[in-house]
Every structure is written in C-alpha cells, then in structure tokens.
Amino acid sequence: MAPPAQSQRSPSPSQPSGKGEVSDLKSQLRQLAGSRAPGIDDSKRELFKKVISYMTVGIDVSSLFGEMVMCSATSDIVLKKMCYLYVGNYAKVNPDLALLTINFLQRDCKDEDPMIRGLALRSLCSLRVANLVEYLVGPLGSGLKDNNNYVRTVAVMGVLKLYHISASTCVDADFPAMLKHSMLNDSDAQVVANCLSALQEIWSSEASSSEEASREREALLSKPVVYYFLNRIKEFSEWAQCLVLELVGKYVPSETSEIFDIMNLLEDRLQHANGAVVLATIKVFLQLTLSMTDVHQQVYERIKAPLLTLVSSGSPEQSYAVLSHLHLLVMRAPFIFSSDYKHFYCQYNEPSYVKKLKLEMLTAVANESNTYEIVTELCEYAANVDIPIARESIRAVGKIALQQYDVNAIVDRLLQFLEMEKDYVTAEALVLVKDLLRKYPQWSQDCIAVVGNISSKNIQEPKAKAALIWMLGEYSQDMHDAPYILESLIENWEDEHSAEVRLHLLTAVMKCFFKRPPETQKALGAALAAGLADFHQDVHDRALFYYRLLQYNVSVAQRVVDPPKQAVSVFADTQSSEIKDRIFDEFNSLSVVYQKPSYMFTDKEHRGPFEFSDELGHLSIGAESTGTVVPAQRVEANDKDLLLSVSEKEESGGPSNNASAYSAPSYDGSSVSAAASSQMLSELAISSVTGHASQSSLAIDDLLGLGLPVAPAPAPSPPLLKLNSKAVLDPGTFQQKWRQLPISLSQVYFSTMT
Amino acid sequence: MISQFFVLSQRGDNIVFRDYRGEVQKGSAEIFFRKVKFWKEDGDGDAPPIFNVDGVNYFHVKVAGLLFVATTRVNVSPSLVLELLQRIARVIKDYLGVLNEDSLRKNFVLVYELLDEVIDFGYVETTSTEVLKSYVFNEPIVVDVARLPSLGPAGIFMQGTKRMPGTAVTKSVVANEPGGRKREEIFVDIIEKISVTFSSSGYILTSEIDGTIQMKSYLTGNPEIRLALNDDLSIGRGGRSIYDYGSSYGSGAVILDDCNFHESVHLDSFEDDRTLTLVPPDGEFPVMNYRMTQEFKPPFRINTLIEEAGPLKAEVILKVRAEFSSSITANTILVQMPLPTYTTRVSFELEPGAVGNTTDFKEANKRLEWGLKKIVGGSEHTLRAKLTFSQESHGNIVKESGPVSMTFTIPMYNASRLQVKYLQIAKKAKNDNLYRWVRYVTQANSYVARL
C-alpha cells in the first residue's frame, strides 16, 4: 500500500535520509579534494556514485555543492560526467555556488577533445541560472561553429536552453538567425534536426510578440524549406524523420502533382519498423489528400495493412498507441474497414484498455453482411469472466441493434442475455432493451414477455432498475403485473437509495395510473406521498408537480406525462462532428488517445512546438480554394463526407483575406509571390554568396537562380524545384497505382480527376 | 519532446530519474505510481500506457518488471514516446547484457551516461547502441546471470538446448569477455507468436501469426550480411480480404499479409530473390516484423468435456494433443480454465505415469490451472477434474465456465514455415571463428478453445 502522503518519503533501510550520511560524504569529499595520490579517481568515483544515488532517490545533497565542485578538477571523464549531472541538478537552487562551476566549465569548453567540449557546453547551458547567461553566449557562439558535429548538435540545443532561461539574451545574440543558417547548410543531419526543433520552439513562442518571428515560422512551411528537408530525409535518424514528417504534414502544396511526388517519395516510410515514423507518414498522406476524395480513400486502403502490422508487433503499450489511431480512422470511415472486422476481435489476454477500443471498432464496422458474426463474437465476451468487458460487450450488441434495420436476430440474443442469470448481464441487457424499445416499439410484445419474468428483486443497479421501471410504466397495459410490481417497489421507497430510480418510479406509476386507474390508484397515492416527503429536491419537485397536475386536470396530466411517443430514429452522438474533425486534424498526437482535442487537456503554452494558430490553419486552407488544386467535390450526404468534412466546412467559409499572401499558384521563375518564401530566398542567397552553402542541395541553388536574378547563377538552369530522391513514378502512374488498390465499397461514387 | 524520464521498480522506488526540462514538478514519480496502483485497485484493469493528471501526460512501458516512464506537458506523438521508452530499455539491455532491477541499480551511473546522450533537452538525439559507444565511458558491472530468470522471448535459448551457447543473449555489447578477445558471432532469431481461437466444435475461428526476425550481432568491423528467406515467400494478399483463405493451405507458399523492416535493411534484391541485405548495427534489433493470417496447422488441439455428476458435482475432462513432429518438444505449457463461481473444491486425476505435471485450483479467481513441463510432438495428455459446487448448477456449467486458454513455447518450430535459407557474412579476411546462430521459436499469444 502506498502511504497516503508520499511527498514526505519515509526512510527505509536501503534509502538513508539522515543528515549523518550527507555530512559523512561531505568530509570524505573534502579529504579527496586536494589529494593527488594515485588511484584517487577510483575513490572519487565511488563517492560520486553515492552522491548521485542519493540524488536519484530524492535525498537533498545540495549541501555538498562546494565540495563536489572542488573535486571536479580531474581529467577522468566518468568523474566529469557525474559532476556535470550533479551540477545540472542543483545549480538552480544554488545560484551563488553555480558561479563556481562556470570557470571550469568554460575551460572545458575549449578542451581539445570534442567530447569534453560538448559535455561541458551541455552542462553549462543546463545550469538554468538567469544571472549567469552572459557566460553562455561566447561558448555557444563558438560551439555553433565548431568543426565537430557532436559539439554543434550540443550547441544548437544549448541555444534553445538559453532561450528558455533568457529569451532576450538569445535573440539579441542573433542566435535564431545562426540556427537558421545551420539548418539549411550543415552537413550533419542531426545538427539540422536540432535546429529545426529549436527554431520551431523559439519562433512559435516569439510569434505572438514579433511579426518577424511569425513570418519566419510560416517560412518553415514554404516550399523550398519543405523540399529541402524531404530531399534529405534518408539522412536523418528515425526520430528526426518524425520531426520532418510533422513539418511536411502542415505543408500545403500548390499543385496536384506535388502531392503525388511527395507521396511517392514517402511511400517506403510506411514499411518502417518504427511506429512513430509510420504514423507521421500516414498523417502526411491524410492531410495532403484531404481535398481529393478518391485518393483520400485509397490512402485509407493503403495504410490499413501497415497499421495492423504495427498493432500486432511491438509491446502492448506501443500497439495501444497505434490502435488508438486505427480506432479514429475506423470511426471516421467504418465502411472501409468492414471486411477487416476479425482484426478487431479481442484476445483473452489483452488489457482492458485495448479491448474497449476494439469493442467500439467492432460496433462501428458492423453492417448487413458481418453483423451476424460480430454479434456472435460479442456474445462470447458477454459470458466472459472479465466483468467490465462483458458489460461493454453487451452494450456493443445493443449499439449494433440500434444501428441496424434488421434487428430480428439481435433482439433474440439480447433476450437470451436476460435469461443468463448473471446480475450484471441482466442489468446491462435491461438498459439495452429499454433503448431498443424506444427505437423499435414494434418489438414490445416479444420483449415484454421476457422482461415480465424478471424479478425486480434481483435487479440492484440503479440504471437497470430505472430501465425496468420505465418499461413497467410504458407497457403497463401489456404487463399483467405492472401495477403490483410498482406497488411493491413503492413500498420499499425508503430503501431505494438512487434518486434516479425514485424519479422513474414516480413517472411510471403515473403512466400506469392513466392506463389502469383502479389498480394503480393506491400505489399512486403512496408514491406521491413518499415523493413529497423525499429529501431529494428533484424527486420532491416532481412529486409536487404531478400532484398539482392531477389536481388541475387528469386528462391534461396524461397529455403531459404520457403523450403518444414517436420512435427515436437516431440517438444523439456524444461527440459533435466539429470536435471529431479537430481530433482528426491533430492526428498522431495525444488528442487521438484521449479522444479530445488538445485545447481540452493542455494549456496554451504547451500545445506543442508546432501548434499553429487558427488563422494560419485557415490561411493555408484558403490557398486551396484559389483553384490550382482540384477543388473538393461537394458530394451528396453519404459516408464519404465523413472523410472530407474538415476541408469542406472550412472552405464554405470562403477564402480569407490573408489567403492571397499565400496563394502562389506555382513556382515558375517569374512569380514567386509568397512573401514568406521570397524572404527565405534572400536569406539563402546571402548564405550562398558568403560561401557557406557548398553543401546546400540542388533545390536551393535553383531557387537562388530564380529568386534573385542579381546573384550569380550557379548552374546552367537546372530543372525547377524538385524532389531529387527516387520519384519512381510520374503522378499519373502513381495515381493509377493507388487506384489498383481494392476499394471495399462498391457504391462509392467516383469523381474523375484531371 | 519529453520533460522527464525515470525508471521505477515494482515497488515504486526511483532507480533512475532524469529531468530534462524542469517543466514538470519533482513529485511526478509518486503521482504516477499512485495513479497506476489505484487504477488497478479501483477495478478498472491495468492503467493505460498513457494518461493525463493535472495537465501532465504520463507515458509508461513495462519491461522486465520495471516501469519506464516519460512525462511531458506538450501534446506529442504518443507512438514516438512509447517507441522511445522501449528503445531506451533495449539500449540499456545492450549495454548491461541483462536488464532487471539488480543490474540497473548496479549500473545506474552508466545509465545516466546513456540518458545524457540519448535525449537532450527532451529531444531524441540518438538511440543507436553503435553511435552511443563512442560517448559512453563507464564499464558495465555484469550481474550474475545464472540465478536470474530468463527475460523476453529469446530468453528461452538460455536454458535447455545444448546446441546454443548459454551466455549469448545476456552478453553486453561493450564488455569484454574474461578471455580478452571477443567472440565473433551473430544470432538470428525467428520468433513467432501465434493466436488461435477454436469454436466449441473445434473449428478454427481466427488465427494469426505475428513474427519477428530478431538479430543480435557481435561481429567486429560491421560486415555486410545477406539473409535469404523462402523463395516462395510472397507479401500481400493481392487485394483479397485477408480472411479469404482460398486454397493456399498446404500448397507450400508462404504468404505474409504485411511486413515492415528495420531501417538498416536494403530491399534492392528482395523482389528478385527474397534476400535482405544489411549492415547490422550493434545490439539487438528487429530486422523484420511480419503478420500472417494464412491458414496454418495449429500445434495443439484442445478437447474439453464437461459432464454433470449429480446436482452439486461435475467432471471436466481436458485433452491436449500435440500435432507436430515427435522430434520437437514444447515446454512450459500452461492450460487454464475459469470455472463457475460457485465451485468450492476441485480434485484432480492425472494419467497414470504422468511426470512434470502440476495442477491447481485458484480459489480467488475460480480458475483451474494445469501445468506441463514438456509435451513431445505427437503425444496426448489428459486431465480429469472433479468439481464440487456450493449451489445447484441448473445445467448452466458450460455457460458459467470460461474458455480454455493455453500458453506454451516450442523451440525449433515455426508455424509460418518462414525460413532463413542462409546467412551470408561478407568479410574481406577469412575468419574461421565465426559463429552463426539461426534459431526458431514459437509461442502462444492468445490460444483459446471455446466451450
């Protein structure tokens, strides 16, 4: 058992917390500090290890700061690293002492071993002490220019750390511009990736106050930059690829052919063993094709197999993350997955958080052809020893029944549940039968016959009891015993703890009274009396209301309480389609796992480094409607608009004013009109002229040539900005390829695209 | 981007704790552990791998009885963080040889060293064991392997079978062996997890094989490797519904539904001759993951008979038949069956002469458990269990009992018939002391017979 208050750790034998040990360490460290005896490093290592282990278990060893720093004069790299770790942990609470460390860290930043330089720089930037930032600028500046890539990767992250300690120092030292230069020119892919991470964070947080930063942030999404990253994607580590793909997912191509080029280039990323890469790629595909109905659907078909493979390989935790995304797609377009229902069958040893998702998917994909098998499978789970899942399964059967027009067989199953004589099964089934009757009153005869046999004494759960009482009231003329069952329930009014049940009881007895007055009159009187004396406000009010209503006019009361009802056609969805669209837009994020858009669970500053403002999202969509991309077809209200509702909805809002700034129709030499891109161009040009850009890709050289005619043209007009990796197919062929994929729905309406 | 990373023991002690960004409060490990603990006690089953408490997102994976946890306030990609946690565990295992609480406690300084290089300010720098080698200076302190229970699917190679060197899978990629020189060897394990659901009449309702070709290389000089798979291997079921079995059964061709590959794998000649080319990085990694729903012969058939013997008594007869070659032996078999909740007592009767069997009735969750050390291919085993009830069963025993489930491990057997035909190591200098191990193992994932 966890103690209720864990903030005060109770000392245990293995975790000493006494001050004794710490002061012991202190004196031992002192002894070692000045010593130059041989083998001294080994003793120091042992002591340092002890300090770090205390630190890990949460014992405050900050009082050793001075001694640790004194001992740090060593050439032993293991010792250095432990010391750095310690210093990084406690500098913030010991700002005065932290100053002591600056000296040796700065010295190490100039060490001839790049490893030491990097380590020292990283530690220097991890001190998190605001009044020491002046000491960071110099080493960071030289770190960014270091000839060793390890030092450069550390320096880039160091800039970001500096930004978080003191944004103004970072910006004043012009570090963002230096990072941008490195991002577009450095030969090391990890340096480039770190620059991208750092700049996304810095510019996103600056964007609210600085127009320039906001422009820079948008420029990250311009064609030259996105293509630059795409062309180098194979150089990046799998993690950096995720970063790049996230960026590409926000890019809005201006031409249809670009979409196919990008998808061609990224196609093999879908075969990656790292699920994060695959999901990031899928996001790109889904976003790119939003306005192309048929291709978008083909993307669904294409990603099915990789997703299923990821779900079944890897740890249960990893497959849960993937399954959550599959769940989202299934809910969006169930018809595409209806033949894959067997993949959503539960395995007996799966954790319940996985089973719950699968049950929802099974419910969603049920259609005329597979309902029988799905319901049969669900009934197996209903008898399961795992009670929460058994309950969910019964609910799933009920939901399927409410979706289908042919409910014949399902009703039979539900009624069988009622006969299973397991409390929780009966309870869930009763709730379902009630909902079913609200939608299909024609089944009342069959249902009532079975429900009538259930003894109300065996029903304990309030929801189930309420359901039974509702049926007693609603069908009291068909259920012979109805008035008497209600009467006995009213007799036990005092023992009924649930207000919901008592409310239903009042209403049911009223309805029963209208249909069978002589038999019910007594019970009604008792119920109203009990209700008026009830301590629960709602129950009391309802009883009073009924009482006065009856006093006023019985037939009016009947019209109010028991009017002829229309069958419910569709039960309201719990989540609005707007919210669902937002979650879909945030694909490959926690929003999908929590099934909530990010604004519901994160504060504004933490929406993620790449959370663009609404206006920008709007702007990018506005660009589509300028006509270079095939306009989204407005389809009739069928399943397909589920897939497309995002773009359609936004588009119906009309293009926004800002759209023009971003609507460069194509990138032919004369008309690079996007302000953001041309700015990026000039930057590139400068960097190139100064001679740093020897490594820059073809794409950038091109741009240079066309964007700034004054600059010396480096190559004899090579083709326009292009993805240079193996674009195996031309757009036409590629689309052909997509089309060959099986489409599960025959009635899908195909629009021809040019 | 993550804010903190920590590893907790089963009791909730911090073994390693690293704060990268200082955005999440210090007490996060306690908050996390309490949440996970009470999730279960509140009857909601296991805590999901990802949850949010007061604006902090907690991610965790369980590895070797330890909880690897990351926290962040940012709306990140959940797959990225979970993959990362799993990968950190693997890197640590590569370094320590064995990953468990003991080895982690002994080597926590080395682990901190690794963590410093794997993540900087919350962003992933590298998870390659290979790359990390040049940044890490602590020598691993190797824990005594002999006493430790095996971990992970490949762990089974440690016990039993003499053909394999016992210490292989627990060897650190950096530590030198006592002899001084490193042994040049490479392990390729084909690990398959099979899931089968039998209907009450013995008909196969669903079946799936999830396989992985796992590699662990101790070769120096990073030579290129060619791995040839079956000639008749094909991928994708050509647009047919994947449960549309057709006539592929028995015809010999191995048809995978889908697969994915490690980034080091080149597929240039895969289309032509089913050969994978790669330069294996150091450490353990999956070369290829695959999934197959093609029909296959299940290794075990399970037969259950329930007979009522009076109002308060019944007899359950469980029969397990091994339908694989007699040269193969399955081990660590466990058969389980939930019994009606009103079961009070169970007495067991094994076949005469049965050895290595254990039988148990778990009172708490009313479950029958039958363990067998070994089952030789072709043999059949029977268990009779006499149940006593506290109330009359009303002929509902079958409805009130759960499906029979089974777990097992079968070395040198693979259900998919996917094979590594050869493993070629391209090396300039001829080296005779090169050891190549290709090993197969099949395990039950979800193996269930309904009543």
Side-chain angles (χ1 to χ4, degrees):
Chain A
M1 278 301 298
Q6 278 215 333
S7 51
Q8 283 303 105
R9 269 190 165 270
S10 57
S12 72
S14 64
Q15 296 177 357
S17 68
K19 291 207 171 91
E21 285 88 346
V22 178
S23 59
D24 264 8
L25 280 174
K26 199 174 185 131
S27 59
Q28 288 177 40
L29 282 167
R30 280 216 170 126
Q31 281 173 10
L32 294 181
S35 169
R36 298 228 178 274
I40 191 79
D41 281 347
D42 288 340
S43 337
K44 277 189 188 169
R45 276 197 191 189
E46 281 313 303
L47 270 181
F48 275 34
K49 266 175 94 166
K50 238 180 225 170
V51 173
I52 304 287
S53 82
Y54 283 9
M55 195 176 89
T56 301
V57 297
I59 298 169
D60 184 8
V61 284
S62 60
S63 59
L64 304 175
F65 205 96
E67 285 74 15
M68 288 293 283
V69 175
M70 278 197 280
C71 279
S72 62
T74 171
S75 56
D76 183 57
I77 196 160
V78 174
L79 269 179
K80 263 190 200 298
K81 283 190 167 188
M82 284 197 266
C83 188
Y84 292 156
L85 179 66
Y86 174 88
V87 167
N89 235 313
Y90 287 115
K92 202 175 177 180
V93 289
N94 274 322
D96 300 336
L97 287 167
L99 188 61
L100 295 173
T101 64
I102 291 286
N103 205 2
F104 82 84
L105 285 174
Q106 275 190 326
R107 199 179 53 231
D108 283 354
C109 282
K110 293 184 180 127
D111 198 282
E112 58 182 32
D113 182 354
M115 185 79 57
I116 306 276
R117 291 204 298 278
L119 286 173
L121 187 56
R122 183 190 294 151
S123 307
L124 193 60
C125 299
S126 304
L127 294 179
R128 293 181 203 161
V129 180
N131 55 14
L132 299 180
V133 289
E134 53 189 296
Y135 298 100
L136 268 59
V137 177
L140 274 177
S142 39
L144 287 174
K145 293 192 203 90
D146 202 288
N147 55 13
N148 182 281
N149 57 348
Y150 176 69
V151 181
R152 291 201 304 278
T153 53
V154 170
V156 174
M157 291 325 274
V159 168
L160 183 56
K161 289 173 194 165
L162 172 62
Y163 178 80
H164 280 269
I165 306 166
S166 166
S168 58
T169 314
C170 179
V171 174
D172 292 346
D174 214 19
F175 281 135
M178 289 165 81
L179 292 193
K180 184 167 147 193
H181 179 266
S182 299
M183 178 177 85
L184 297 170
N185 295 290
D186 203 289
S187 57
D188 184 82
Q190 193 57 44
V191 174
V192 172
N194 282 5
C195 288
L196 178 58
S197 308
L199 286 177
Q200 283 181 350
E201 252 192 70
I202 292 172
W203 282 338
S204 295
S205 108
E206 288 287 295
S208 53
S209 56
S210 148
E211 221 169 278
E212 192 200 337
S214 140
R215 248 195 337 267
E216 292 281 15
R217 191 179 65 163
E218 283 164 33
L220 281 177
L221 289 176
S222 65
K223 184 163 171 171
V225 177
V226 168
Y227 274 40
Y228 164 73
F229 278 110
L230 279 174
N231 280 330
R232 293 187 71 173
I233 195 153
K234 296 267 166 69
E235 295 171 43
F236 291 103
S237 76
E238 51 198 309
W239 311 107
Q241 286 183 12
C242 295
L243 198 69
V244 171
L245 290 167
E246 186 65 35
L247 181 82
V248 178
K250 309 265 180 191
Y251 171 62
V252 182
S254 55
E255 284 172 57
T256 319
S257 63
E258 274 191 68
I259 295 175
F260 291 108
D261 282 347
I262 294 173
M263 296 209 309
N264 262 326
L265 184 80
L266 297 178
E267 164 84 16
D268 62 351
R269 298 293 94 191
L270 291 173
Q271 269 194 342
H272 204 288
N274 186 331
V277 174
V278 178
L279 279 174
T281 311
I282 288 176
K283 175 160 191 180
V284 173
F285 280 35
L286 290 174
Q287 291 292 333
L288 282 180
T289 56
L290 264 180
S291 60
M292 307 158 84
T293 321
D294 50 353
V295 185
H296 192 64
Q297 193 182 333
Q298 285 158 5
V299 167
Y300 273 70
E301 298 284 352
R302 173 66 185 90
I303 63 186
K304 231 193 247 179
L307 279 174
L308 289 168
T309 305
L310 286 176
V311 168
S312 52
S313 59
S315 66
E317 294 94 355
Q318 286 160 297
S319 56
Y320 169 68
V322 180
L323 199 67
S324 304
H325 285 83
L326 189 59
H327 176 266
L328 173 80
L329 297 177
V330 167
M331 292 318 205
R332 246 183 127 69
F335 60 100
I336 293 181
F337 295 89
S338 56
S339 60
D340 304 290
Y341 61 96
K342 283 196 181 183
H343 285 292
F344 311 138
Y345 283 2
C346 298
Q347 294 178 345
Y348 83 101
N349 52 355
E350 280 171 333
S352 48
Y353 53 79
V354 168
K355 285 182 180 163
K356 275 185 195 151
L357 283 181
K358 285 191 164 178
L359 288 175
E360 284 179 35
M361 292 196 261
L362 276 176
T363 315
V365 299
N367 65 12
E368 285 139 279
S369 59
N370 60 20
T371 293
Y372 179 80
E373 281 185 75
I374 291 178
V375 170
T376 308
E377 181 72 13
L378 287 171
C379 291
E380 288 286 341
Y381 308 152
N384 208 297
V385 279
D386 183 348
I387 292 174
I389 292 304
R391 286 175 181 275
E392 293 281 349
S393 309
I394 298 165
R395 275 177 229 154
V397 173
K399 275 191 207 143
I400 292 175
L402 293 176
Q403 284 168 10
Q404 302 298 314
Y405 14 102
D406 177 29
V407 282
N408 210 334
I410 302 179
V411 172
D412 280 350
R413 308 279 185 114
L414 277 179
L415 296 179
Q416 276 171 25
F417 285 147
L418 290 176
E419 289 160 352
M420 260 170 73
E421 294 181 32
K422 284 192 184 179
D423 299 347
Y424 59 89
V425 176
T426 313
E428 289 296 338
L430 272 177
V431 176
L432 280 182
V433 170
K434 174 208 62 172
D435 285 342
L436 213 59
L437 288 177
R438 286 172 65 199
K439 183 162 179 181
Y440 310 106
Q442 65 270 32
W443 291 102
S444 60
Q445 293 299 330
D446 303 65
C447 294
I448 291 315
V450 181
V451 171
N453 290 332
I454 295 171
S455 163
S456 61
K457 291 188 186 62
N458 295 341
I459 314 293
Q460 291 308 322
E461 290 173 35
K463 279 231 167 331
K465 214 166 184 175
L468 178 66
I469 292 168
W470 181 86
M471 286 186 272
L472 286 169
E474 195 65 27
Y475 298 99
S476 39
Q477 75 267 54
D478 303 321
M479 294 167 88
H480 189 70
D481 292 339
Y484 310 104
I485 300 172
L486 287 172
E487 192 171 336
S488 73
L489 284 166
I490 290 161
E491 275 167 23
N492 295 321
W493 186 276
E494 294 298 318
D495 302 327
E496 186 49 66
H497 297 294
S498 159
E500 186 190 0
V501 174
R502 299 202 298 275
L503 284 170
H504 272 281
L505 206 46
L506 279 174
T507 311
V509 78
M510 283 284 279
K511 288 180 190 165
C512 190
F513 171 73
F514 297 132
K515 285 159 194 156
R516 298 161 71 174
E519 288 161 289
T520 324
Q521 197 171 13
K522 186 166 151 248
L524 178 64
L528 289 176
L532 286 170
D534 203 279
F535 65 91
H536 194 277
Q537 193 66 51
D538 291 346
V539 179
H540 171 265
D541 288 358
R542 188 178 287 190
L544 193 62
F545 172 64
Y546 285 167
Y547 177 70
R548 298 227 167 112
L549 207 55
L550 287 169
Q551 256 187 338
Y552 172 72
N553 184 325
V554 177
S555 66
V556 170
Q558 178 163 15
R559 285 216 305 279
V560 172
V561 180
D562 193 22
K565 288 186 194 62
Q566 277 206 322
V568 182
S569 61
V570 181
F571 282 93
D573 211 335
T574 42
Q575 229 170 20
S576 77
S577 64
E578 195 186 332
I579 285 189
K580 287 179 187 164
D581 286 347
R582 274 199 104 112
I583 298 173
F584 181 73
D585 276 348
E586 295 174 349
F587 193 87
N588 194 24
S589 80
L590 290 168
S591 314
V592 178
V593 174
Y594 299 150
Q595 300 180 15
K596 281 179 197 162
S598 60
Y599 68 82
M600 290 187 179
F601 62 90
T602 34
D603 11 312
K604 198 153 175 43
E605 48 174 327
H606 291 117
R607 297 270 158 82
F610 232 72
E611 187 66 25
F612 279 78
S613 60
D614 291 332
E615 28 150 24
L616 186 67
H618 198 73
L619 183 146
S620 57
I621 292 186
E624 279 174 21
S625 58
T626 54
T628 40
V629 174
V630 180
Q633 294 85 356
R634 266 163 230 281
V635 283
E636 292 298 289
N638 64 17
D639 282 339
K640 266 192 305 177
D641 41 346
L642 268 177
L643 293 171
L644 286 173
S645 42
V646 190
S647 61
E648 287 199 37
K649 200 168 298 155
E650 303 239 7
E651 245 180 311
S652 58
S656 72
N657 297 337
N658 332 13
S660 60
Y662 217 70
S663 63
S666 64
Y667 273 72
D668 57 48
S670 54
S671 68
V672 181
S673 64
S677 338
S678 59
Q679 205 211 333
M680 180 62 77
L681 275 177
S682 52
E683 310 275 359
L684 286 169
I686 291 154
S687 71
S688 187
V689 169
T690 49
H692 280 290
S694 55
Q695 290 282 340
S696 67
S697 76
L698 226 158
I700 291 170
D701 290 343
D702 289 348
L703 259 177
L704 186 65
L706 23 118
L708 288 178
V710 243
S717 61
L720 294 177
L721 189 60
K722 241 182 174 169
L723 293 169
N724 60 16
S725 309
K726 49 158 191 181
V728 278
L729 301 167
D730 60 283
T733 333
F734 184 78
Q735 203 186 345
Q736 219 41 50
K737 190 177 160 194
W738 283 109
R739 289 213 171 149
Q740 284 160 9
L741 289 162
I743 306 285
S744 55
L745 201 71
S746 50
Q747 73 258 36
V748 171
Y749 143 78
F750 271 96
S751 56
T752 37
M753 270 192 13
T754 42
Chain B
M1 184 225 310
I2 64 165
S3 196
Q4 299 166 321
F5 167 86
F6 47 90
V7 182
L8 299 184
S9 74
Q10 240 153 6
R11 293 178 308 282
D13 300 330
N14 282 0
I15 302 177
V16 181
F17 187 98
R18 189 79 175 84
D19 193 334
Y20 290 105
R21 290 180 68 101
E23 290 168 342
V24 174
Q25 70 276 29
K26 285 268 180 282
S28 53
E30 276 96 11
I31 296 172
F32 164 80
F33 191 70
R34 252 196 297 167
K35 192 85 186 170
V36 168
K37 218 171 139 64
F38 288 120
W39 209 292
K40 193 143 204 173
E41 283 165 17
D42 292 347
D44 294 331
D46 281 338
I50 306 162
F51 54 81
N52 182 305
V53 184
D54 298 332
V56 179
N57 303 298
Y58 294 84
F59 299 78
H60 76 279
V61 301
K62 284 189 199 128
V63 185
L66 301 164
L67 292 161
F68 284 70
V69 192
T71 64
T72 180
R73 288 184 178 275
V74 179
N75 187 16
V76 292
S77 156
S79 282
L80 186 127
V81 179
L82 292 173
E83 290 274 351
L84 174 65
L85 289 174
Q86 206 74 40
R87 203 65 66 81
I88 291 176
R90 204 159 76 199
V91 169
I92 295 176
K93 186 177 172 238
D94 282 343
Y95 271 84
L96 307 186
V98 182
L99 176 58
N100 61 23
E101 187 174 341
D102 188 32
S103 70
L104 211 57
R105 281 191 189 279
K106 283 205 170 85
N107 288 289
F108 72 96
V109 178
L110 167 65
V111 174
Y112 275 123
E113 227 187 327
L114 284 170
L115 288 175
D116 254 359
E117 303 299 336
V118 169
I119 298 168
D120 195 3
F121 208 50
Y123 291 99
V124 192
E125 296 295 305
T126 180
T127 51
S128 149
T129 302
E130 182 103 24
V131 174
L132 287 165
K133 260 184 177 174
S134 52
Y135 303 127
V136 171
F137 294 89
N138 276 289
E139 285 279 321
I141 300 161
V142 180
V143 296
D144 188 6
V145 191
R147 302 183 338 235
L148 298 167
S150 60
L151 301 162
I156 68 115
F157 295 119
M158 288 163 59
Q159 329 133 349
T161 342
K162 288 186 193 74
R163 278 176 290 175
M164 290 150 202
T167 54
V169 281
T170 58
K171 204 164 75 174
S172 161
V173 290
V174 284
N176 280 320
E177 273 161 71
R181 276 192 59 226
K182 278 175 80 173
R183 200 157 118 141
E184 292 278 303
E185 54 189 343
I186 180 162
F187 295 86
V188 177
D189 297 331
I190 292 90
I191 301 164
E192 296 192 340
K193 290 184 290 177
I194 59 177
S195 300
V196 180
T197 308
F198 298 98
S199 74
S200 52
S201 51
Y203 167 76
I204 297 176
L205 288 170
T206 59
S207 63
E208 177 165 321
I209 301 174
D210 300 317
T212 217
I213 302 181
Q214 193 161 293
M215 191 174 272
K216 192 160 191 184
S217 162
Y218 295 95
L219 301 174
T220 49
N222 297 74
E224 191 180 78
I225 283 180
R226 287 168 63 80
L227 205 65
L229 307 176
N230 312 35
D231 290 329
D232 55 4
L233 181 74
S234 62
I235 294 164
R237 299 181 67 95
R240 283 181 295 150
S241 157
I242 43 169
Y243 275 101
D244 172 15
Y245 287 117
S247 58
S248 58
Y249 182 41
S251 67
V254 177
I255 305 168
L256 305 180
D257 289 34
D258 185 48
C259 57
N260 60 38
F261 302 94
H262 188 259
E263 57 181 351
S264 66
V265 178
H266 291 286
L267 297 167
D268 304 337
S269 57
F270 189 67
E271 281 300 318
D272 302 331
D273 58 4
R274 297 295 168 213
T275 306
L276 306 173
T277 315
L278 68 153
V279 174
D282 285 349
E284 188 179 289
F285 67 98
V287 176
M288 169 180 172
N289 296 307
Y290 57 92
R291 180 166 56 82
M292 185 172 131
T293 47
Q294 185 188 17
E295 204 167 305
F296 62 93
K297 191 172 182 185
F300 291 102
R301 285 276 172 183
I302 307 166
N303 242 315
T304 316
L305 199 68
I306 301 180
E307 279 173 351
E308 281 189 69
L312 294 172
K313 278 194 191 325
E315 187 175 40
V316 175
I317 302 164
L318 281 170
K319 264 200 181 85
V320 172
R321 197 167 68 244
E323 303 206 307
F324 44 86
S325 143
S326 59
S327 61
I328 288 167
T329 305
N331 58 41
T332 53
I333 299 107
L334 183 65
V335 184
Q336 301 188 56
M337 175 179 172
L339 298 173
T341 46
Y342 42 79
T343 312
T344 51
R345 215 161 54 80
V346 182
S347 65
F348 296 99
E349 192 183 303
L350 287 162
E351 294 162 301
V355 282
N357 283 11
T358 55
T359 52
D360 198 5
F361 171 58
K362 291 266 186 268
E363 189 77 49
N365 45 16
K366 303 287 179 191
R367 200 187 338 236
L368 173 162
E369 292 189 1
W370 176 24
L372 298 100
K373 258 206 184 102
K374 278 181 193 173
I375 296 183
V376 179
S379 65
E380 186 177 277
H381 299 262
T382 309
L383 174 75
R384 288 167 181 273
K386 291 193 161 56
L387 318 182
T388 311
F389 300 138
S390 60
Q391 69 180 65
E392 282 188 46
S393 61
H394 301 294
N396 265 343
I397 308 173
V398 173
K399 270 192 205 160
E400 307 262 347
S401 311
V404 180
S405 63
M406 201 174 166
T407 57
F408 51 80
T409 302
I410 320 176
M412 299 326 281
Y413 173 88
N414 76 330
S416 69
R417 288 177 293 121
L418 179 95
Q419 306 248 304
V420 172
K421 270 175 33 204
Y422 63 83
L423 171 65
Q424 204 176 60
I425 304 170
K427 210 157 192 197
K428 289 140 218 159
K430 263 260 179 217
N431 191 344
D432 292 333
N433 298 327
L434 241 164
Y435 296 89
R436 280 172 273 214
W437 308 99
V438 178
R439 311 178 291 189
Y440 296 87
V441 64
T442 290
Q443 287 186 316
N445 182 21
S446 165
Y447 206 83
V448 176
R450 289 184 175 154
L451 298 177

